[in-house]
Amino acid sequence: MRAVTMSSHGGPEVLRLTEIPEPEPTAGHHRVEVLQAGVNYADLHVREGDYLAGVTLPYVPGNEVMGYSDGRRVVALTRGGGYAQVALAHHRSTIQVPDDIDDATAISLTLQGNSAWHLLHTVLRINPGEAVIVPAAAGGVGSLAVQLAKRAGARVVALAGTDVKRALALGLGADAVVDSNSTSLAADLQEATHGTAAAALEMTGGDTLHATLEALAPMGRMAVYGSVSGIETTIATRDLMATGKTVSGFWLPLLFGHRTALRDSMTDLFQAIRDGELAVPAPAVYPLTEAARAHEDMAARRTTGKVVLNPAS
């Protein structure tokens, strides 16, 4: 089969299209004929060698696929192997796609939809009326988190780095937008939230994490799900005690072995689509041969919404 492999860590150039044997199913796993493979920031960290979980080289990246398994149309979360014509997925992280949900919507909800849903509902446990800060609001997780937070009755303050992306966030329902590149980010967020920010998502690290944490009201909650800046960030426990703020980490693979967590969230996400409370733009589709370009565009923030690879092209 055709697959994108990496034999070393490094820049996008380490991603090479190769021919490799199809993976052999193992206990609890099944074969998925891949129609679309999601590209996510986690893949960039894997490629660069600073992902939370180490990988054995050579390696096929990709933790999210949509395709067919035993005649069923499914989406699945995997531990690698997604950038290929065939992938293996565990039954607990595989969800059958209902007939009224199209392929593009299904893949857009799989990793990023589940991440947004569990960040808001499992980690932060947002309540109606609370002010919530959402970063990268034009991105895959952020654009869904804006809509899901509004659906839950929250007041959303969205972060984005360009006028176009801030306009997109407002179009998705954000109550206010803030320039994520601002040199006075904490003050801007406090002004936008009227000093009442009860919860925040965070995926940048460094100064952005500290500014977002500062903008939270006393007893505020933060959920950290990334560090795209590459900066290892420390937080003073004395400051947490003095303000009563909490910081929680989140990594979606922690739910892969849970019996119902992913199925429950996907069921609710599908219903939100049916009810018109959640919309996803058409993904940006790259041929499997252009996986490196997809990584380059994502790293340069040239993409909005979902990015996928098509193994058939």
Side-chain angles (χ1 to χ4, degrees), residues 36-227:
Q36 299 182 71
V39 180
N40 299 285
Y41 276 107
D43 304 344
L44 276 63
H45 288 295
V46 167
R47 191 201 71 228
E48 293 166 350
D50 61 357
Y51 189 51
L52 285 174
V55 301
T56 301
L57 301 174
Y59 183 75
V60 177
N63 301 319
E64 173 191 42
V65 296
M66 184 275 156
Y68 284 91
S69 178
D70 298 325
R72 301 177 302 145
R73 195 165 59 105
V74 301
V75 289
L77 293 162
T78 67
R79 294 183 182 272
Y83 292 9
Q85 290 179 302
V86 175
L88 296 183
H90 195 276
H91 69 90
R92 283 188 176 173
S93 58
T94 301
I95 296 96
Q96 186 165 344
V97 179
D99 292 340
D100 60 344
I101 303 294
D102 61 51
D103 293 358
T105 299
I107 189 68
S108 296
L109 295 177
T110 305
L111 190 148
Q112 291 159 331
N114 275 301
S115 294
W117 195 97
H118 285 285
L119 281 163
L120 293 169
H121 297 297
T122 303
V123 182
L124 293 177
R125 300 178 185 272
I126 61 169
N127 298 303
E130 289 186 322
V132 179
I133 298 169
V134 176
V141 173
S143 61
L144 296 173
V146 168
Q147 297 175 78
L148 291 172
K150 289 298 295 181
R151 179 176 182 246
R155 180 174 182 271
V156 177
V157 173
L159 283 164
T162 68
D163 289 340
V164 171
K165 291 183 177 183
R166 288 189 288 275
L168 175 60
L170 288 171
L172 293 172
D175 297 280
V177 291
V178 170
D179 184 354
S180 56
N181 298 313
S182 171
T183 57
S184 56
L185 184 57
D188 292 350
L189 286 170
Q190 287 172 333
E191 180 180 357
T193 60
H194 308 298
T196 64
L201 307 185
E202 214 297 300
M203 47 80 74
T204 303
D207 291 343
T208 300
L209 184 150
H210 285 297
T212 305
L213 186 60
E214 182 182 341
L216 282 176
M219 303 300 290
R221 296 109 58 204
M222 173 184 282
V224 178
Y225 64 103
S227 182

Side-chain angles (χ1 to χ4, degrees), residues 11-23:
E13 70 280 356
V14 304
L15 301 176
R16 303 289 179 83
L17 187 68
T18 57
E19 291 278 344
I20 62 173
E22 286 192 15

Side-chain angles (χ1 to χ4, degrees), residues 236-262:
T237 54
R238 184 182 182 88
D239 293 341
L240 295 181
M241 290 187 291
T243 61
K245 297 175 185 179
T246 59
V247 179
S248 301
F250 176 75
W251 189 38
L252 188 62
L254 293 172
L255 298 178
F256 284 11
H258 194 283
R259 189 170 62 86
T260 61
L262 295 174

